[in-house]
Amino acid sequence: MTRTPRWLLVVGLTAVLAVITAALCYELPKSSSFSTASPLNDLHSGHHGGLGEADGAVPDGVTVFDDSVPGVAKLDPGLLKALRQAATAAAHDKVTFYVNSGWRSAAYQNQLLREAIAKYGSEAEAERWVATAATSPHVSGDAVDLGRSDATAWLSGHSAEYGLCQIYRNEPWHYELRPEATVRGCPHMYADPTHDPRMQQ
Ligand SMILES: [Zn+2]
């Protein structure tokens, strides 16, 4: 019989208390192609602590055109417009933009955080995939996680034309609106969210 080390319990409890009220950017890739990129891959299915679509959970098969899903409808209008323009162009190449996650309520993010800490065993590791309340671009509706792999592959070559940019190198599915990208191209990517100055608050 194995026992959980006492230090691990202390670390875990400290992490939970430190961020219990935080809302987070938390990636939920549904594409199986990302199963090795994110150990959180299995968290997308089902409801989280009773929280559902009204809090930002996105069912399978939802696209950027599905206004009936709050996780899509509550995205920033400028981001949504750019996504739909890009998706319309991508459709000509038989590529569909699926939304794995978009806008999220703070309650939903907090639930996801609790699951993340439990899964990673440390706040430090979870922070590579997570942002805090004040900074989470998903809570403000300014970020979207897209699938499937053909969509992210299409975007990697075309997104700047629509003002859409990948922000983190470790999250090829996470896109935000950067209008200046249509002229200048996308800004340099951060290795992961811990390198993003917006997350240092
Ligand atoms: Zn994201």
Side-chain angles (χ1 to χ4, degrees):
M1 180 176 176
T2 58
R3 295 181 59 196
T4 304
R6 182 180 179 84
W7 66 267
L8 187 59
L9 292 173
V10 172
V11 168
L13 183 59
T14 301
V16 169
L17 291 174
V19 293
I20 196 73
T21 59
L24 304 162
C25 171
Y26 181 79
E27 305 310 321
L28 303 168
K30 284 178 178 172
S31 169
S32 60
S33 66
F34 293 133
S35 59
T36 56
S38 170
L40 307 177
N41 193 47
D42 60 330
L43 293 177
H44 72 79
S45 60
H47 287 189
H48 297 265
L51 299 173
E53 288 186 33
D55 282 288
V58 178
D60 283 327
V62 168
T63 76
V64 296
F65 296 102
D66 285 325
D67 280 321
S68 63
V69 178
V72 175
K74 291 187 177 182
L75 286 171
D76 170 75
L79 172 60
L80 199 50
K81 182 180 179 182
L83 283 170
R84 289 173 175 178
Q85 288 174 339
T88 299
H92 294 140
D93 296 328
K94 302 197 184 319
V95 172
T96 300
F97 287 7
Y98 292 97
V99 176
N100 290 338
S101 191
W103 168 85
R104 304 169 194 157
S105 73
Y108 183 42
Q109 302 260 11
N110 280 329
Q111 178 60 33
L112 294 174
L113 169 61
R114 288 189 286 273
E115 294 175 10
I117 292 173
K119 192 171 188 78
Y120 285 115
S122 79
E123 183 186 7
E125 179 60 21
E127 280 183 352
R128 294 188 60 237
W129 307 91
V130 158
T132 62
T135 59
S136 171
H138 281 283
V139 170
S140 61
D142 292 316
V144 64
D145 298 339
L146 296 168
R148 300 165 179 145
S149 57
D150 60 342
T152 53
W154 191 94
L155 278 165
S156 70
H158 297 88
S159 76
E161 300 167 31
Y162 302 92
L164 297 167
C165 293
Q166 180 184 340
I167 305 300
Y168 307 115
R169 201 175 308 283
N170 71 331
E171 298 179 4
W173 50 84
H174 176 108
Y175 275 85
E176 299 182 26
L177 185 67
R178 294 290 184 272
E180 68 278 11
T182 59
V183 177
R184 297 179 177 178
C186 286
H188 187 71
M189 276 185 255
Y190 300 112
D192 64 50
T194 63
H195 296 269
D196 185 346
R198 297 179 300 168
M199 305 301 154
Q200 307 304 316
Q201 299 179 16

